[in-house]
Amino acid sequence: MASSNRLSYPSRLFVWLLGYSLLLAGCFILFQYHREKEFKAEALNTRLQGVNHLLLAELARGIAPDSITPADINAPEGLRISIIGRDGHVLYDNSLDTLPDSNHLDRREIVSARTKGEGYSVRRHSSTTGHTYFYSATAAADGLVVRSAVPYTLNLAGVLHADMGFLWSMGIVTLAMCIIGYFATRRIGQHLLRLNRFAARAERGERIYDTSPFPPDEFGSISNHIVRLYANLQQAIADRDREHARALYQQREKERIKRQLTNNINHELKTPVASIRLCLETLIEHPGISEEKRLDFLRRSLHDTDRLQRLLADVATITRMEEAPASITKSPLDLTEVVADVVADAHPLAEAAGMRIEDDIDFPISITANRQLLESAFRNLLDNAIAYSGGSRITITAQIADDRRAVRISVADDGAGVDPRHLPHLFERFYRVDKGRSRATGGTGLGLAIVKNAIVLHGGRIEAELPAAGGLRFIITLPLG
């Protein structure tokens, strides 16, 4: 409750500055007022001291006090003149008919005159005349004191009063200081309030995007640094959370893929294992079976065993690329040579299928890669085209990108192609366009998945498209160097 009634920091800052300004101006005004009043009193005393010295000179010549006219001593009209003896009694006073019996040795101007030679008293009431005077006294060498006095009237008070113009000037200056102080403290206070609101929002952990820049001064620089530090912290936290979410997603996706892979492997294993079991059971249960039938069952078992071997090899390859990509070593090699070796190995299989492979890459392509994985990728592409395209020709071409940072390799056939709806799924594991034909040819359904993983592992990408002339084309992009 008490904190809600407190003034805001800008208001307190302005009150402090206002109090400081008023105190400073007040002290200066009082000092200047006292100085000016003393100066004017000293000036009046100097004038009256001149009159006193002239009067002492006349008295030294033996002229009686009542014979001295104001003109003789250059005195103004109405000037009261007193002569006080060494014992402190008044010997002469031109304003009194009867001299007082009181002793004047304790008068301020008399005490000062007897000790310093002269003295004055700004304002003192006279009990003998009933008036208030400005007294100025001068002592002679013989101890006689001459005192002149000017009635303290309204005119004399005005003369001795401080200049009101100065007071008004100081008042205006003080007001200007207060106005400037108000706007200065208001500006600083607003920035402090903004920084305080920012700190409160930051403490609550809010995301802050709409903080406008602070002024281009030291305070604004500090505030901007604080805002930028918090923004960087927010960005770091957001990046951390995003990376954590991505890692968590990748982990879950990896686990999902593992489960899917396991299920698919189980599914893929059922058929060859069941076929092998059936063949073996038939051979055991019918020992008198003909030699031709017995060989046929053995060939089927061998075929399914080869299929199982290929499936396990493909699964091992994919697992190695996914589980331990850092363990796959890379070295500089000529991709043109790799493709040529793969084409040479696939040439007999292509001839047996009535197809020819045209390797049109006739320039060296230097890359850093794992030779075994790239050979496996291109071998799978060629085997896939030979087994499923139904065409007569496979063409391999290459083109260096305009920025000379990558190479594009095309592997295309002139076969029947595939339905466009299959294109987005060609690189999925165990995805088959024609399931029956794929199993009949011994395909594992992992060939194109291995190709994609191998290319991605080398920082590249692979795409499948249907050329206008027919067939199916795979385009591989790999970084050079």
Side-chain angles (χ1 to χ4, degrees), residues 317-370:
T317 301
I318 288 182
T319 302
R320 185 163 66 96
M321 286 189 290
E322 288 186 347
E323 296 295 335
S327 65
I328 298 176
T329 59
K330 300 176 184 178
S331 59
L333 53 84
D334 185 0
L335 185 61
T336 302
E337 180 184 340
V338 173
V339 173
D341 290 345
V342 173
V343 170
D345 291 342
H347 187 69
L349 184 63
E351 281 190 344
M355 299 182 70
R356 70 178 187 274
I357 304 174
E358 297 179 357
D359 182 5
D360 293 337
I361 303 177
D362 56 359
F363 57 92
I365 303 173
S366 298
I367 64 172
T368 301
N370 181 278

Side-chain angles (χ1 to χ4, degrees), residues 2 4 51 62 65 84 101 180 202 300 418 438 478:
S4 62
V51 173
I84 296 91
D101 293 332
I180 295 173
R300 289 184 186 181
V418 298
S438 176
L478 288 170

Side-chain angles (χ1 to χ4, degrees), residues 397-419:
T397 59
Q399 181 182 5
I400 303 298
D402 294 337
D403 58 3
R404 308 196 65 82
R405 298 175 63 182
V407 60
R408 287 167 52 91
I409 303 168
S410 170
V411 179
D413 63 64
D414 60 351
V418 298
D419 193 294

Side-chain angles (χ1 to χ4, degrees), residues 184-196:
T185 54
R186 182 171 176 266
R187 177 184 174 86
I188 296 175
Q190 287 177 341
H191 298 323
L192 285 175
L193 289 177
R194 281 185 55 199
L195 191 59
N196 183 54

Side-chain angles (χ1 to χ4, degrees), residues 60-92:
R61 290 168 54 195
I63 301 175
D66 54 359
S67 301
I68 301 174
T69 63
D72 295 334
I73 56 176
N74 195 24
E77 291 293 336
L79 183 67
R80 180 184 177 187
I81 298 175
S82 304
I83 300 174
I84 296 91
R86 287 187 294 270
D87 58 357
H89 289 86
V90 178
L91 303 179
Y92 171 79

